[in-house]
Amino acid sequence: MAKLKHSKLRNTQILFELLTRQVAADTIRGTETSPALRLIQKYYKPGTLLSKELGLYESLSRQKYKSELKAETLLREVLKARRALDAKCLSEAKYELVKEIKSNYSIDAFTRTQLPDYKLYASIYNLFESNTKAKLTPEQAVNCRFSIVEHICGKSTKKPHKVEESKAIAEYKKETEEVRLLAYRLLIENFNKKYSKLTVQQKNLLREYINNVSNSDTMKDILITNAKVVRQNITKLLPKVTDRVTVIKLKEIYKLTKKYDDVRLVNENHVLAMLMYMELIKELKKC
């Protein structure tokens, strides 16, 4: 029996995750109207088939039970609800969504993002597809069900991975304090070209990054502290923001800053992203 192949471009949850991350990326780049946001509003609005299927994915990815029996019952009920959806119309909606994504973004770059729950989403997709017309091998069926039930019961199947230090950071650690100070000044100048003057918080973050580039644990603590401050500001700003697009961006940034807790090795991308978040908060406070 031929194995059912998972397709991330047919996976409703993965497409949604990639679109929300693209909204954040567009925001950081200064894109005024994010195509990804428009696609979310069009294809995932309440009542659409993609929105309904997304809700089924989220039932399995977010619900937690201690009992495997409850987890199995939930899985059975979700599969039953999935069978009630119009498979043909759902497939057509995904086709149209992917077509629009390809017309706005490089599909290779768009799908390059690594998702922490990819294996879970793939398992759900495979069961959903086998629930209609495609067939799983016995091994696939067992593995998919096992992955989903284990996730619902909180039994992680993920293996820890070793994070390698980038060559740039390794070389940077060897430099003298004078070189680090020069690099810091260049960072300030380059950032100022695009984002006017840095705030005290932004300057402090850059300074700490330069001074603690060889101490990942210290830098991680600094990033986590700044992330908490950003979330606190977002919590205060959200009730005052009336623009729906800005609300979605803020909520996505709120979720992204929580991921700093899981960072193993801080790099320049983490720092740059945090600087961008701070910049957005600064601009919103002016309004």
Side-chain angles (χ1 to χ4, degrees), residues 240-254:
K240 303 175 183 177
V241 177
T242 56
D243 180 62
R244 187 183 177 190
V245 174
T246 304
V247 169
I248 292 176
K249 290 178 179 179
L250 286 174
K251 287 182 177 179
E252 179 61 22
I253 289 173
Y254 189 98

Side-chain angles (χ1 to χ4, degrees), residues 7 12 47 52 54 173 220 241:
S7 169
T12 298
K52 291 177 181 179
L54 178 63
K173 289 181 179 180
K220 178 180 176 180
V241 177

Side-chain angles (χ1 to χ4, degrees), residues 142-156:
V142 170
N143 289 334
C144 289
R145 286 182 175 274
F146 179 80
S147 294
I148 296 169
V149 171
E150 288 283 281
H151 174 81
I152 295 172
C153 294
K155 300 174 183 178
S156 176

Side-chain angles (χ1 to χ4, degrees), residues 36-237:
L37 180 60
R38 179 180 57 79
L39 294 178
I40 290 174
Q41 294 170 335
K42 178 179 179 180
Y43 287 95
Y44 288 94
K45 64 183 178 182
T48 62
L49 279 174
L50 287 180
S51 175
K52 291 177 181 179
E53 188 180 43
L54 178 63
L56 297 178
Y57 270 95
E58 292 179 341
S59 292
L60 295 176
S61 61
R62 295 182 180 180
Q63 184 63 52
K64 296 295 181 184
Y65 290 129
K66 292 182 179 180
S67 165
E68 288 191 10
L69 178 60
K70 283 188 175 181
E72 287 281 4
T73 302
L74 174 66
L75 177 56
R76 185 167 57 251
E77 291 301 314
V78 167
L79 290 175
K80 179 181 177 181
R82 175 60 171 72
R83 281 196 297 271
L85 298 181
D86 188 318
K88 182 180 179 182
C89 291
L90 187 59
S91 179
E92 290 173 353
K94 292 178 186 180
Y95 175 81
E96 292 300 325
L97 170 58
V98 172
K99 186 169 71 172
E100 288 203 50
I101 290 173
K102 289 180 177 179
S103 68
N104 286 281
Y105 301 102
S106 161
I107 198 65
D108 289 336
F110 180 80
T111 58
R112 194 174 296 141
T113 303
Q114 293 185 347
L115 301 176
D117 290 320
Y118 180 89
K119 181 180 178 181
L120 172 66
Y121 299 155
S123 295
I124 297 173
Y125 168 87
N126 285 338
L127 285 185
F128 281 179
E129 291 302 305
S130 69
N131 207 24
T132 51
K133 55 180 180 179
K135 297 299 180 183
L136 292 172
T137 65
E139 293 81 5
Q140 277 185 309
V142 170
N143 289 334
C144 289
R145 286 182 175 274
F146 179 80
S147 294
I148 296 169
V149 171
E150 288 283 281
H151 174 81
I152 295 172
C153 294
K155 300 174 183 178
S156 176
T157 58
K158 296 177 182 178
K159 296 180 180 179
H161 61 281
K162 183 178 179 181
V163 179
E164 294 185 1
E165 186 180 75
S166 70
K167 291 182 179 180
I169 293 297
E171 290 297 320
Y172 192 79
K173 289 181 179 180
K174 300 176 184 178
E175 302 295 347
T176 63
E177 182 178 357
E178 288 76 13
V179 173
R180 292 187 183 186
L181 289 174
L182 176 60
Y184 169 65
R185 190 170 69 186
L186 291 174
L187 278 172
I188 294 288
E189 290 175 355
N190 289 334
F191 197 87
N192 275 336
K193 288 178 182 178
K194 188 173 182 180
Y195 296 99
S196 64
K197 292 184 178 180
L198 293 171
T199 64
V200 173
Q201 290 77 14
Q202 288 170 317
K203 288 180 180 179
N204 287 340
L205 176 60
L206 274 176
R207 185 181 298 111
E208 293 292 348
Y209 179 54
I210 298 299
N211 293 336
N212 292 287
V213 69
S214 61
N215 191 335
S216 185
D217 290 338
T218 299
M219 195 59 222
K220 178 180 176 180
D221 290 339
I222 292 169
L223 269 181
I224 290 175
T225 299
N226 278 277
K228 287 180 180 178
V229 173
V230 168
R231 290 198 296 273
Q232 289 170 358
N233 279 307
I234 289 175
T235 301
K236 292 178 182 178
L237 286 168

